[in-house]
Amino acid sequence: MLKLESFPSRCPLALESEYFDLEIRQILYEKKYRILFSIVEDENTRMVKIHLVRHSSQQNFDSLKQLLDNDDEE
């Protein structure tokens, strides 16, 4: 997880990023889980926003609403 803290932009774009107006990146954790996240930047800060942690066997999202609606479940 240190990779997210230090070099989040080195993580590849997720397949879902191709369909949305949002750069969604992914990192695999223990070869079992995909962590989908985006990098949020403003003038003074750079932050990683984790959208979802999914088991790697689950299907990819086909809509931005599916991805972002999961943020409300916390």
Side-chain angles (χ1 to χ4, degrees):
M1 299 314 285
L2 291 176
K3 190 174 185 180
L4 274 181
E5 182 180 355
S6 304
F7 304 107
S9 57
R10 293 180 81 187
C11 297
L13 292 175
L15 293 175
E16 291 86 349
S17 190
E18 185 176 318
Y19 304 104
F20 309 123
D21 190 27
L22 180 65
E23 192 175 82
I24 303 167
R25 295 187 172 272
Q26 69 178 359
I27 188 171
L28 291 177
Y29 179 70
E30 294 185 358
K31 298 183 182 180
K32 293 181 187 177
Y33 301 97
R34 286 177 69 218
I35 300 171
L36 301 176
F37 68 94
S38 57
I39 302 169
V40 180
E41 297 184 63
D42 66 20
E43 303 169 354
N44 303 318
T45 60
R46 186 171 190 217
M47 180 175 66
V48 170
K49 179 176 182 183
I50 295 177
H51 297 288
L52 194 62
V53 177
R54 294 175 61 91
H55 194 274
S56 59
S57 66
Q58 291 181 295
Q59 290 184 330
N60 297 334
F61 290 106
D62 58 2
S63 77
L64 184 59
K65 185 171 179 0
Q66 278 183 312
L67 177 64
L68 298 179
D69 279 351
N70 284 300
D71 286 348
D72 297 333
E73 293 178 3
E74 297 174 4

